[in-house]
Amino acid sequence: MTDRATGGGGADTALVAPAARLARPPAALDRALDRIGLRTPLARDTALAAGLALAAAGLLWAALTIMGAIDGVRLPTGSAVALTVVVCLQPLPLCLRRRHPTGVLLAVAAAQLAVYAFLPATVAFQGVATFVAGYTCGLLLSTRALVRLLVVVSVATGLMSGAVSGTLFDPQPLPGSDAARVLTEADPAVHLVILTGLLSAVGCYAVPALVGRYVATRRDYVELVRLRADEAVRAQRERAENAARAERTSMARELHDIAAHHLSGMVVQAGAAERLIGRDDDAAREATSWVRTQGRETLDSLRMVVRALREPGPDGAGRDGTYDGAPVPGVAALDRLVAAERRLGADVALSHEGEPRALPPVADITVYRVAQEALTNARDHAPGAPVRIVLRHGSSRVVLEVANDPPPGGSGRADGGASRGHGLLGMRERAQLVDGRLDAGPDGPGGWRVRLEIPLTGETGRAAQGTREEQ
């Protein structure tokens, strides 16, 4: 935000810098000015001042010619030449109108008073530069500074025009009178000249200034609309990026859970099959078959996640949130998960406490994924250790506990998978999505426990109730 006032006080603020309110001309004219060498604002303002000087001189001589032909009033040659010089010099301060609009307006107004001094009291000529100076001040100055300046210029112009007319062109000037006495004792015609000067100042300075103020307000409004549109676009882009980032995080979590669980089990079973080859071919074939089945299931799960990353098409997500009939695993799949672990030789026990209840989809898959990741960590860091899974269904919360004993012989690590860097992080992120709480840490001498608690009150409880009603 920048101060509107330039060369004067003011508390107004503007979205557009004062100098920037003097907009560039249309593209065609802009290119034409560039071709003739007028590329900078100063050069263009100088050309404007020169053009206005020539125009003012032409208008002056046309007015003098008409005045002499119709009214028979002719100026002395010296006065006509001096008047022409003043009229030509009056627009020259416009070269600095962008930097010093107040000074430019005062200089133009002073030159206009000099014009009054060379004309009869009954004749008035207004230079074109006054309109441009008034418009520039309205465009660049604050409202308060502009009002003060216009009042000063208007009053000074009216009084000075009356004083000049009364002292220089009164047919019977008062002997020994000064300017103050002229204003109080002069002929009423001088008072009429003062009033005419005031009205002329209002028309020549105030009206163009009001036009400039309107243009400045309009440009500020347009700039404000543009800024708000840009902010809306940026906010929309940020929301889209945040949504995409959250979706990528969710998909990365799904891929990690799928790969970490299934692939680690396939590695274990493949190693067992390799050791059985040549010793127990039937067992080796059974292990190889399990690896093939598990690989197919892994591919199906990966396809489901990858398909979710794509734009939904005719074969995309259905109303139930599934993709091509691929179900999302939940609490109901815990038995199948435990059976798969047991086929790998793990000692896993699953027990349910309380009355089973339907969970919201997000909470349902959270329970499954946390149990899956906890089993994977137990397999990696406490191989061969017994694992106990307890799922407690309460009236206000669901609690999942996965605990493993220390590995036989003390082999393995009791860090719960922290070294991988993604398992615990993914479980905690899933718990946060459902306003749950995840605790993971050592359990007894050498063991490890993961506890997930999901409240069913508030939004989660209402979602669960809606799910039960639908079922």
Side-chain angles (χ1 to χ4, degrees), residues 261 264-266 268-269 290 339-346 379:
H261 178 75
S264 61
M266 293 169 61
V268 172
Q269 197 71 355
W290 186 92
E341 288 293 321
R342 288 171 178 170
R343 284 195 295 270
L344 289 174
R379 183 197 307 142

Side-chain angles (χ1 to χ4, degrees), residues 52-320:
L52 291 179
L54 295 178
L59 290 176
L60 174 65
W61 281 99
L64 293 178
T65 302
I66 295 174
M67 183 176 63
I70 297 178
D71 300 331
V73 179
R74 298 182 182 277
L75 294 180
T77 304
S79 297
V81 172
L83 180 60
T84 304
V85 172
V86 173
V87 169
C88 291
L89 292 178
Q90 186 184 24
L92 295 185
L94 294 176
C95 299
L96 303 176
R97 68 189 184 112
R98 299 174 189 265
R99 295 184 178 179
H100 308 287
T102 302
V104 168
L105 182 64
L106 294 176
V108 170
Q112 185 62 40
L113 293 176
V115 171
Y116 292 153
F118 290 102
L119 289 174
T122 57
V123 178
F125 178 81
Q126 191 68 45
V128 184
T130 57
F131 299 97
V132 179
Y135 172 80
T136 302
C137 287
L139 199 65
L140 301 183
L141 297 183
S142 67
T143 302
R144 186 179 302 175
L146 180 63
V147 170
R148 288 200 299 262
L149 179 62
L150 290 178
V151 170
V152 171
V153 171
S154 299
V155 173
T157 299
L159 295 179
M160 292 301 296
S161 61
V164 170
S165 300
T167 55
L168 296 182
F169 298 104
D170 194 336
Q172 296 178 351
L174 299 176
S177 63
D178 54 14
R181 293 182 58 195
V182 167
L183 296 178
T184 57
E185 302 177 11
D187 188 88
V190 177
H191 296 161
L192 180 61
V193 171
I194 295 176
L195 180 60
T196 304
L198 286 172
L199 296 177
S200 176
V202 170
C204 297
Y205 301 108
V207 173
L210 291 178
V211 174
R213 170 55 47 204
Y214 169 77
V215 173
T217 303
R218 178 67 180 175
R219 290 178 181 173
D220 285 345
Y221 173 75
V222 172
E223 180 65 13
L224 177 61
V225 171
R226 187 190 65 80
L227 290 177
R228 287 182 176 176
D230 292 343
E231 290 176 359
V233 171
R234 285 196 297 270
Q236 178 65 23
R237 186 181 298 114
E238 289 177 0
R239 286 194 295 269
E241 290 177 354
N242 291 337
R245 190 178 301 110
E247 188 66 18
R248 286 195 298 269
T249 302
S250 177
M251 294 303 140
R253 190 161 51 239
E254 288 291 329
L255 291 173
H256 169 267
D257 292 343
I258 294 171
H261 178 75
H262 292 289
L263 295 182
S264 61
M266 293 169 61
V267 170
V268 172
Q269 197 71 355
E274 184 180 8
R275 289 192 299 270
L276 292 173
I277 293 176
R279 298 169 52 189
D280 189 346
D281 293 339
D282 292 336
R285 281 193 295 270
E286 183 179 353
T288 304
S289 176
W290 186 92
V291 170
R292 182 174 63 253
T293 303
Q294 205 61 6
R296 187 181 300 110
E297 183 178 348
T298 303
L299 288 176
D300 292 340
S301 300
L302 292 176
R303 288 193 188 100
M304 182 181 64
V305 176
V306 172
R307 197 174 292 118
L309 292 172
R310 299 175 180 172
E311 291 291 335
D315 300 328
R319 296 179 60 183
D320 58 351

Side-chain angles (χ1 to χ4, degrees), residues 38-64:
L38 301 177
R39 295 183 175 85
T40 63
L42 178 61
R44 294 182 178 183
D45 289 341
T46 302
L48 174 64
L52 291 179
L54 295 178
L59 290 176
L60 174 65
W61 281 99
L64 293 178

